[in-house]
Amino acid sequence: MKNLITFLWKYYFFFLFLSLEVVAVLLIVKNNYYQRTIIINSTNDVTGAILKTSDGIIEYFHLKKANQILAEENVNFRKMLPQSFLKTDTATFFRDDTLYNQQYTYLTAKVISNTTNRINNFIKLNKGKNHGIEKHMAVLAPDGIVGQVIEVSDNYASVMSVLNSHTRISAKLKSSGQVGTLIWNGENYRLGKLVDIPTHVQIQINDSVFTSGYSYMFPEGQLIGTVSDYELESGQSFYQVDVVFSCDYNNLRWVYVVRNLMQKELNLLDEAEEIF
Amino acid sequence: MFVRNLIRFVFVLLTQVLVLNNINLGVNINPAFYVYFILLLPFETAGWALLLSSFLMGLGVDFFCNSLGMNAAASVFVAFCRPGIIRFLKSRREYEPGTRPTIRDLGVRWFFSYAFISIVLLHTVLFFLETFGFENADQTLIRILLSSGAAFVLVILVQFLFGRRE
């Protein structure tokens, strides 16, 4: 025993190095199974507070741009107001419609930290459980989709960005209606890849790509981007389509968090399917 | 001495997470400037202090960029290699007591090789841990080269700007 202690003491530099590396690698491995992991750091209140202060200062430099985007959106929403329509029939607009149940509601949130230069990028929002944000909610930007909430604390939420190697989003082409899977391979933050499009489909350059709505999370028909190029994978019968994101992920400020009011119902059906 | 290193720790960490992590030059250029802290620790630093402070530095960076453990592992690795690197470079020049690992005390050539070896080691570990394997090794190598280059320029620049005054 004494010898062992002497031995450990003599080479303590090496053993301390080894144990610290083991701790670090454990942290990495635990962190990589991201669905099961509580990402401590992303929702940590201390880092959250520091980033919020830093962002509060930077925010001033973006006010002009933010105002412009908000104004553009207001114009769009104004167009949709009942007042903007000419009433041709007395029974055109009802809030409590028996045909239309509201399926999605929206919350605004501000981005307080965002990366685009990693293989797995995450975004932090300034709202959390207290504001009604839950896990698995979709996040949208005014001009595109942003990602999915993976963890919430009381006042902050962590979002897995579309720019993440684990991203799988069901998307469809506007012209043909064909559904494929959107992934991101980490090479360019402006480009995503749409895979699993069968070769018999005619693909048009500059065609729009929308969410398909098959994942429940994202409302159907949200713009993702436009087709810039496509190629046949060697030895495969599927196209790989390059999609230029409509949203500039490097310049995210305000986002919308989407709540699917029917999520529970749909999940129940899914569970029933799994039994068979 | 302790206070000066503590101040440097905070300054380097904040520069890394609040400034450098927000400068987006693509996937390939992500300089890990925080290695500057490990480089400038005094020669007399005890082994445990060297390893633990490097671990904390890496962990601090990790906390801010959702990469829990990656920077910590890389930074502890560099700290572990540091005595070896210093011994390797010593063969050409003797260290007198009281010297510090800076350009002022040991000259441009010594510091350049010291910084270069440490920085390349750090980025090699960091980027291979990030991809967690050897697929896409060519892209990883490009990332190591470009990021190391950027970090090297930064370290040398900061050393020239602030190193003389200390």
Side-chain angles (χ1 to χ4, degrees):
Chain A
M1 190 64 197
K2 203 185 158 200
N3 282 342
L4 181 69
I5 292 172
T6 333
F7 174 73
L8 285 177
W9 181 247
K10 197 174 169 195
Y11 295 103
Y12 89 95
F13 186 64
F14 177 72
F15 286 114
L16 183 61
F17 161 70
L18 216 60
S19 41
L20 286 177
E21 285 292 9
V22 168
V23 171
V25 169
L26 281 179
L27 285 173
I28 297 172
V29 172
K30 192 179 170 230
N31 204 33
N32 268 4
Y33 293 119
Y34 64 106
Q35 293 104 329
R36 279 197 278 130
T37 312
I38 299 153
I39 299 198
I40 315 158
N41 51 340
S42 62
T43 35
N44 186 303
D45 282 343
V46 179
T47 51
I50 297 179
L51 288 169
K52 200 174 162 189
T53 315
S54 143
D55 190 68
I57 298 165
I58 295 167
E59 179 66 13
Y60 283 103
F61 300 108
H62 293 278
L63 279 180
K64 203 174 164 192
K65 188 82 197 279
N67 270 332
Q68 190 194 338
I69 293 172
L70 287 176
E72 277 168 18
E73 275 210 287
N74 276 335
V75 169
N76 279 332
F77 289 136
R78 226 166 248 277
K79 278 186 213 156
M80 287 182 235
L81 281 178
Q83 291 94 312
S84 320
F85 291 82
L86 186 65
K87 242 186 198 171
T88 51
D89 189 321
T90 46
T92 317
F93 294 104
F94 278 112
R95 287 295 292 165
D96 262 329
D97 202 313
T98 46
L99 284 177
Y100 295 98
N101 275 329
Q102 184 148 25
Q103 189 182 0
Y104 296 102
T105 58
Y106 296 80
L107 280 160
T108 58
K110 205 171 96 183
V111 174
I112 58 169
S113 109
N114 178 22
T115 61
T116 55
N117 53 10
R118 269 164 243 289
I119 303 289
N120 296 316
N121 292 291
F122 295 90
I123 297 166
K124 242 168 276 177
L125 305 180
N126 70 341
K127 286 189 180 168
K129 243 180 262 169
N130 290 348
H131 310 88
I133 293 183
E134 287 164 19
K135 269 192 197 181
H136 306 308
M137 284 184 169
V139 181
L140 303 174
D143 49 1
I145 61 169
V146 173
Q148 170 192 0
V149 176
I150 51 162
E151 193 60 50
V152 281
S153 66
D154 285 346
N155 294 304
Y156 300 101
S158 197
V159 177
M160 183 174 101
S161 165
V162 172
L163 308 182
N164 192 305
S165 61
H166 302 292
T167 294
R168 299 279 180 280
I169 293 169
S170 177
K172 68 179 175 192
L173 291 163
K174 190 187 180 191
S175 60
S176 58
Q178 276 290 337
V179 175
T181 308
L182 183 86
I183 58 171
W184 188 67
N185 61 5
E187 274 169 19
N188 184 339
Y189 81 97
R190 299 292 294 143
L191 278 187
K193 283 218 185 301
L194 187 62
V195 294
D196 299 344
I197 299 287
T199 45
H200 66 80
V201 178
Q202 288 253 319
I203 296 176
Q204 294 162 9
I205 302 291
N206 284 333
D207 193 8
S208 306
V209 179
F210 291 101
T211 52
S212 69
Y214 289 172
S215 68
Y216 310 152
M217 219 167 49
F218 287 101
E220 191 183 341
Q222 295 294 323
L223 184 63
I224 297 174
T226 49
V227 174
S228 69
D229 196 7
Y230 62 95
E231 60 178 5
L232 193 63
E233 274 190 88
S234 54
Q236 304 241 341
S237 52
F238 294 103
Y239 280 126
Q240 255 201 4
V241 182
D242 282 346
V243 179
V244 178
F245 293 124
S246 56
C247 176
D248 181 0
Y249 293 108
N250 206 9
N251 197 11
L252 283 179
R253 288 283 135 191
W254 290 91
V255 293
Y256 303 107
V257 183
V258 185
R259 177 198 287 276
N260 187 346
L261 298 172
M262 308 292 174
Q263 183 89 51
K264 271 197 193 126
E265 243 174 78
L266 291 164
N267 285 349
L268 276 179
L269 290 178
D270 272 357
E271 277 166 30
E273 280 168 15
E274 269 167 29
I275 295 168
F276 289 97
Chain B
M1 191 55 103
F2 174 77
V3 174
R4 185 188 283 168
N5 282 304
L6 188 70
I7 293 171
R8 194 183 298 120
F9 184 94
V10 174
F11 159 76
V12 167
L13 181 60
L14 289 182
T15 314
Q16 179 73 44
V17 298
L18 294 182
V19 181
L20 291 174
N21 287 356
N22 287 324
I23 300 177
N24 194 333
L25 297 171
V27 181
N28 289 329
I29 306 180
N30 290 306
F33 167 70
Y34 62 85
V35 70
Y36 184 76
F37 169 75
I38 307 171
L39 290 176
L40 252 67
L41 282 172
F43 285 124
E44 305 86 47
T45 313
W48 60 270
L50 175 66
L51 288 175
L52 279 178
S53 60
S54 307
F55 183 74
L56 287 180
M57 171 59 79
L59 209 61
V61 176
D62 282 329
F63 268 116
F64 278 89
C65 48
N66 280 311
S67 53
L68 205 55
M70 280 180 213
N71 285 298
S75 132
V76 167
F77 182 74
V78 171
F80 176 69
C81 293
R82 197 185 99 134
I85 299 169
I86 291 174
R87 236 175 288 132
F88 170 71
L89 293 170
K90 192 182 184 175
S91 55
R92 282 158 225 173
R93 190 198 278 246
E94 284 298 318
Y95 303 124
E96 288 162 22
T99 45
R100 282 170 305 140
T102 56
I103 291 184
R104 201 183 67 173
D105 283 9
L106 288 164
V108 170
R109 237 177 106 185
W110 183 89
F111 190 81
F112 271 37
S113 16
Y114 172 57
F116 182 77
I117 298 170
S118 313
I119 288 171
V120 170
L121 273 179
L122 181 97
H123 287 87
T124 308
V125 176
L126 183 61
F127 289 135
F128 274 111
L129 273 178
E130 193 179 0
T131 49
F132 224 71
F134 292 95
E135 324 145 32
N136 279 333
D138 48 343
Q139 202 204 348
T140 309
L141 285 178
I142 292 172
R143 298 180 71 195
I144 292 169
L145 274 178
L146 291 176
S147 301
S148 299
F152 185 71
V153 170
L154 278 170
V155 165
I156 297 301
L157 211 64
V158 171
Q159 183 54 193
F160 268 121
L161 285 176
F162 302 102
R164 282 155 194 264
R165 222 178 293 151
E166 280 192 39

